[in-house]
Amino acid sequence: MLTKNNTPVIGKQLDKVAQTIEEHLVVRNKDIERATTELQRAGGKMLRPSFLLIFAALGDTSKQSEEQLISLAASVEVLHMATLIHDDIVDDSPMRRGIQTVQSKYGKDIAVYTGDLLFTVYFELLASSGDLGDFIKVNSKAMKKILLGELDQMHTRFNQEITMLDYFRSISGKTAELFSLACREGAHFGYCPPNVEKLATRIGTNIGLAFQVLDDILDYSATRKDLKKPVLEDISEGVYTSPLILGMQKNREAFCPFLDKKEPLTVEESDNLRKLVIESGGLDAAKELAQRLTQKALDDIDHLPKGKAQKLLLKLTKELLKRTY
Amino acid sequence: MLTKNNTPVIGKQLDKVAQTIEEHLVVRNKDIERATTELQRAGGKMLRPSFLLIFAALGDTSKQSEEQLISLAASVEVLHMATLIHDDIVDDSPMRRGIQTVQSKYGKDIAVYTGDLLFTVYFELLASSGDLGDFIKVNSKAMKKILLGELDQMHTRFNQEITMLDYFRSISGKTAELFSLACREGAHFGYCPPNVEKLATRIGTNIGLAFQVLDDILDYSATRKDLKKPVLEDISEGVYTSPLILGMQKNREAFCPFLDKKEPLTVEESDNLRKLVIESGGLDAAKELAQRLTQKALDDIDHLPKGKAQKLLLKLTKELLKRTY
């Protein structure tokens, strides 16, 4: 994880991003303020702002406005937080980042409006970050793509015929789009040359895809304590992720009893399903997939201008891959 | 209500607004598309786009872009729709515009994402409506004020000490801000002179406030059939509106048994509460208030440039007042 100490290139800026976000979370309604501030302080990894700032650091620093970059970096994190809160309503998730979700602690009503408020803060941060010109359209398209990805995921719930194509379509929006936006926006407002902005967009997509696959893998290899959220809760919500889908391709029948069950899985059933995913090769196939996607990103990073920022990007991307093994 | 026939000034443009909205509601997920399209077709009054277009018609038509005005008019209606859908989740409302709410027909999950999708369509319409310059900040501030108004209303729920000041604070955001934005935006992008834009902002606020008070009054004077939504459902949700607050100022004790009740009111109790609000003078006081607010708007409208658009605005505003008596 990124901290001020291990990332001298962007560490101070990340602090400013966190401060900017907190300033924008101040509202009259103290329940809402507490809910958003708790989520913020519970320490998201701030990956999206980090990628934005690293790509900006690759550009022409003499032309950049640090204030603009901080606002934009804050905006991508806030958009991420907004989607998390609404996802947790839809998923009825009890935990997020090791603390209770807004929905489970404050109830559905506050969770709906808190997410909405964060969407407006996202918009506010964009609007106040100086003239974005046509790039405002890139933002609106990205936001729509993210939402459509969420809808795709909801639509394929409990669909035991789900393919890897369905899966990729959903995570391309739901997860990869925001990483891609962050990287591209950093390159753009960091005054990188057009070819770097193009690479940034693709690197962001591949990192985002890899990140999601790794997140899926964690569900099958980590304990509840490591993960700071319940293990395999996706299954009882009908959300089938890459290790499961890849496992089912080998031995569909064995999985049916787990998926046909209407209630949440017991601890024993979770353990058995985890074993099945491992034995069927689903977990290994997902790991290979994550590695392939990360390698694509690393290959592209290799073509970026060399220097501290590029080194940091390389390090961060490698760490993202390492985190499951 | 506005139709193409009775509003030759903006009728054709309103059709284009409806068409633009429908085009933006097309998504892969057909449940969501159906949910939003049904709400759109159930015929909102399209008041906010109408006010936007009328104020634009007061300006310099030679400088205007009709396409831009249509996009902006669509954006205010879509933002309105987004807030309606999320309000209905928070209020657990069964009916809206004479049809089932998205929440009650499709469930909470779809309702959350459908509202979110409409927020992104709002953003998309703004982003695609040409360079808005600094006016994008006016939009982001308005959106935040609307959300904060919703939060204020939620915060004062079941508070029997609620004052008219609390009430005004909430409806200034929740309802008046969007009317004000619509009028101001119409004047601005219609190339009205600055004094007209300033009047537009104030007229929008007063119309919005009057509109909300009238909406409250309807709850106490209309039948379920007229209103296309359940009568007095606000009470059991702890939302106390102007006729009730004004009535309580006269005779607080008489109201307590109704407000202390934890379950929804029976039909008989609703009737008794309605009588109490009337007898205590709450309904008349609310009607007076609505009339004062409308009169303020009418006085300002009197100072606008004369012509067809100003006449239409006068007519529409008077009709808004007439609808309760």
Side-chain angles (χ1 to χ4, degrees):
Chain A
M1 195 180 304
L2 291 173
T3 67
K4 198 161 69 178
N5 295 332
N6 69 14
T7 58
V9 185
I10 58 161
K12 274 189 194 162
Q13 290 180 320
L14 272 183
D15 285 349
K16 286 184 193 167
V17 171
Q19 198 185 330
T20 301
I21 293 174
E22 286 213 16
E23 281 164 12
H24 278 80
L25 299 181
V26 176
V27 290
R28 281 195 297 273
N29 187 309
K30 293 304 153 191
D31 273 352
I32 303 272
E33 189 176 307
R34 210 174 305 123
T36 51
T37 312
E38 277 169 9
L39 180 64
Q40 158 66 8
R41 293 199 183 145
K45 291 177 281 293
M46 296 272 275
L47 283 173
R48 295 150 192 85
S50 301
F51 281 114
L52 189 147
L53 294 171
I54 294 173
F55 271 98
L58 283 168
D60 183 345
T61 47
S62 71
K63 288 185 185 165
Q64 299 171 4
S65 149
E66 192 189 42
E67 208 183 334
Q68 181 178 51
L69 292 170
I70 301 293
S71 282
L72 293 173
S75 80
V76 291
E77 184 66 12
V78 166
L79 179 55
H80 175 55
M81 287 167 69
T83 60
L84 290 184
I85 291 172
H86 281 182
D87 285 356
D88 288 339
I89 302 178
V90 172
D91 299 340
D92 286 308
S93 300
M95 301 289 281
R96 164 79 68 184
R97 295 182 176 174
I99 60 171
Q100 270 189 287
T101 58
V102 179
Q103 136 100 355
S104 71
K105 184 162 179 185
Y106 297 97
K108 176 194 71 176
D109 299 0
I110 290 199
V112 169
Y113 285 147
T114 303
D116 290 354
L117 183 71
L118 289 176
F119 281 125
T120 76
V121 172
Y122 163 64
F123 186 28
E124 185 181 42
L125 283 162
L126 281 181
S128 67
S129 66
D131 187 9
L132 302 184
D134 249 14
F135 211 87
I136 192 87
K137 282 188 206 169
V138 176
N139 268 281
S140 82
K141 275 186 193 149
M143 188 174 166
K144 193 166 193 181
K145 205 173 160 195
I146 292 165
L147 250 297
L148 293 179
E150 309 264 16
L151 297 179
D152 284 334
Q153 177 173 302
M154 190 171 65
H155 189 66
T156 52
R157 276 184 183 210
F158 295 107
N159 175 7
Q160 296 181 18
E161 309 293 315
I162 185 173
T163 63
M164 282 302 283
L165 195 69
D166 297 324
Y167 169 82
F168 270 116
R169 185 194 283 163
S170 163
I171 72 166
S172 293
K174 189 177 91 82
T175 312
E177 184 63 21
L178 191 51
F179 277 93
S180 180
L181 174 71
C183 295
R184 181 176 175 188
E185 201 157 59
H188 187 86
F189 293 98
Y191 293 87
C192 290
N195 69 317
V196 172
E197 188 177 329
K198 209 171 159 186
L199 275 176
T201 311
R202 196 165 66 194
I203 290 169
T205 301
N206 283 321
I207 288 177
L209 293 172
F211 181 80
Q212 184 58 59
V213 176
L214 288 167
D215 212 51
D216 300 346
I217 292 171
L218 271 180
D219 257 351
Y220 287 88
S221 53
T223 64
R224 181 184 292 252
K225 196 170 149 245
D226 292 339
L227 208 56
K228 295 190 175 176
K229 64 177 190 180
V231 169
L232 293 196
E233 66 171 327
D234 282 351
I235 297 293
S236 52
E237 295 288 327
V239 177
Y240 307 145
T241 61
S242 53
L244 186 75
I245 301 170
L246 291 164
M248 279 201 289
Q249 289 178 353
K250 303 277 169 59
N251 182 8
R252 181 170 302 275
E253 293 69 33
F255 286 88
C256 290
F258 296 99
L259 308 188
D260 289 340
K261 203 178 168 232
K262 293 290 166 248
E263 305 85 48
L265 301 183
T266 63
V267 174
E268 202 191 337
E269 287 166 334
S270 284
D271 281 340
N272 287 335
L273 178 57
R274 190 175 296 113
K275 276 179 204 150
L276 183 60
V277 167
I278 294 168
E279 285 162 13
S280 65
L283 196 63
D284 281 338
K287 284 180 181 178
E288 259 174 57
L289 175 62
Q291 223 149 4
R292 271 206 312 279
L293 291 164
T294 311
Q295 196 53 51
K296 276 192 191 181
L298 292 174
D299 291 346
D300 277 339
I301 291 170
D302 211 39
H303 289 93
L304 291 174
K306 303 288 182 282
K308 275 186 191 171
Q310 192 252 12
K311 260 191 197 155
L312 177 60
L313 185 60
L314 209 58
K315 181 168 167 265
L316 176 58
T317 307
K318 281 181 181 163
E319 276 176 13
L320 269 184
L321 178 66
K322 215 177 59 184
R323 70 185 181 120
T324 44
Y325 300 100
Chain B
M1 195 180 303
L2 292 173
T3 66
K4 198 161 67 178
N5 295 332
N6 68 15
T7 58
V9 185
I10 58 162
K12 273 189 193 161
Q13 289 180 320
L14 273 182
D15 285 350
K16 286 184 192 165
V17 171
Q19 198 186 331
T20 301
I21 294 174
E22 285 212 17
E23 281 163 14
H24 278 80
L25 299 181
V26 177
V27 290
R28 281 196 295 273
N29 187 309
K30 292 304 155 195
D31 274 350
I32 303 273
E33 189 176 307
R34 210 174 304 124
T36 52
T37 310
E38 277 169 7
L39 181 64
Q40 158 67 8
R41 293 198 185 148
K45 291 178 281 291
M46 296 272 273
L47 284 172
R48 295 151 192 84
S50 301
F51 281 114
L52 190 148
L53 294 171
I54 293 173
F55 271 97
L58 283 167
D60 184 346
T61 47
S62 72
K63 288 185 185 163
Q64 300 171 3
S65 149
E66 192 189 41
E67 209 183 333
Q68 181 177 52
L69 292 169
I70 300 292
S71 282
L72 293 172
S75 81
V76 290
E77 184 67 11
V78 166
L79 178 55
H80 176 54
M81 287 167 69
T83 60
L84 291 184
I85 291 172
H86 282 181
D87 286 355
D88 288 338
I89 302 178
V90 171
D91 298 340
D92 286 309
S93 300
M95 301 288 281
R96 164 79 68 185
R97 295 182 176 174
I99 60 171
Q100 270 190 287
T101 58
V102 178
Q103 136 100 354
S104 71
K105 184 162 180 184
Y106 297 96
K108 177 194 70 176
D109 299 0
I110 289 201
V112 169
Y113 285 147
T114 304
D116 290 354
L117 182 71
L118 289 176
F119 281 125
T120 75
V121 171
Y122 162 65
F123 187 29
E124 186 181 41
L125 283 162
L126 281 180
S128 66
S129 64
D131 187 8
L132 301 185
D134 250 12
F135 211 88
I136 193 89
K137 282 188 205 169
V138 176
N139 268 282
S140 83
K141 276 185 193 151
M143 187 174 167
K144 193 166 192 183
K145 206 174 158 194
I146 292 165
L147 250 298
L148 293 179
E150 309 265 17
L151 297 179
D152 284 334
Q153 177 175 302
M154 190 170 64
H155 189 65
T156 52
R157 277 185 181 207
F158 295 106
N159 175 7
Q160 296 181 16
E161 309 293 315
I162 185 174
T163 64
M164 282 303 283
L165 196 69
D166 297 324
Y167 169 82
F168 271 115
R169 186 193 282 162
S170 162
I171 72 166
S172 293
K174 188 177 91 82
T175 312
E177 185 62 22
L178 191 51
F179 277 93
S180 181
L181 174 70
C183 294
R184 181 177 176 186
E185 201 156 58
H188 187 87
F189 292 97
Y191 292 86
C192 290
N195 68 316
V196 172
E197 187 176 331
K198 210 172 157 186
L199 276 176
T201 311
R202 198 165 65 194
I203 291 169
T205 301
N206 283 320
I207 288 176
L209 294 172
F211 181 81
Q212 184 58 58
V213 176
L214 288 166
D215 212 51
D216 300 345
I217 292 172
L218 272 180
D219 256 351
Y220 288 88
S221 53
T223 64
R224 182 184 292 254
K225 196 169 150 243
D226 292 340
L227 208 57
K228 293 190 176 176
K229 63 178 189 180
V231 169
L232 293 194
E233 67 170 326
D234 283 351
I235 299 292
S236 53
E237 294 288 326
V239 177
Y240 307 146
T241 60
S242 52
L244 187 75
I245 301 170
L246 291 164
M248 279 201 289
Q249 289 178 353
K250 302 277 170 64
N251 182 7
R252 182 170 302 275
E253 293 70 33
F255 286 88
C256 291
F258 296 100
L259 308 188
D260 289 341
K261 205 181 165 227
K262 294 290 166 249
E263 305 85 47
L265 301 183
T266 63
V267 175
E268 203 190 336
E269 286 166 335
S270 284
D271 281 340
N272 288 335
L273 178 57
R274 190 177 294 113
K275 276 180 205 152
L276 183 60
V277 167
I278 294 169
E279 283 161 14
S280 65
L283 195 62
D284 281 339
K287 284 181 182 177
E288 259 174 56
L289 175 62
Q291 224 151 2
R292 271 205 312 278
L293 291 164
T294 313
Q295 196 53 50
K296 276 193 192 180
L298 292 174
D299 291 347
D300 277 340
I301 292 171
D302 210 39
H303 289 94
L304 292 173
K306 303 287 182 283
K308 273 186 192 171
Q310 192 252 14
K311 261 192 196 154
L312 176 62
L313 185 59
L314 209 58
K315 181 168 168 265
L316 176 58
T317 308
K318 282 181 181 164
E319 277 177 12
L320 269 184
L321 178 65
K322 215 177 57 185
R323 70 186 181 119
T324 44
Y325 299 99

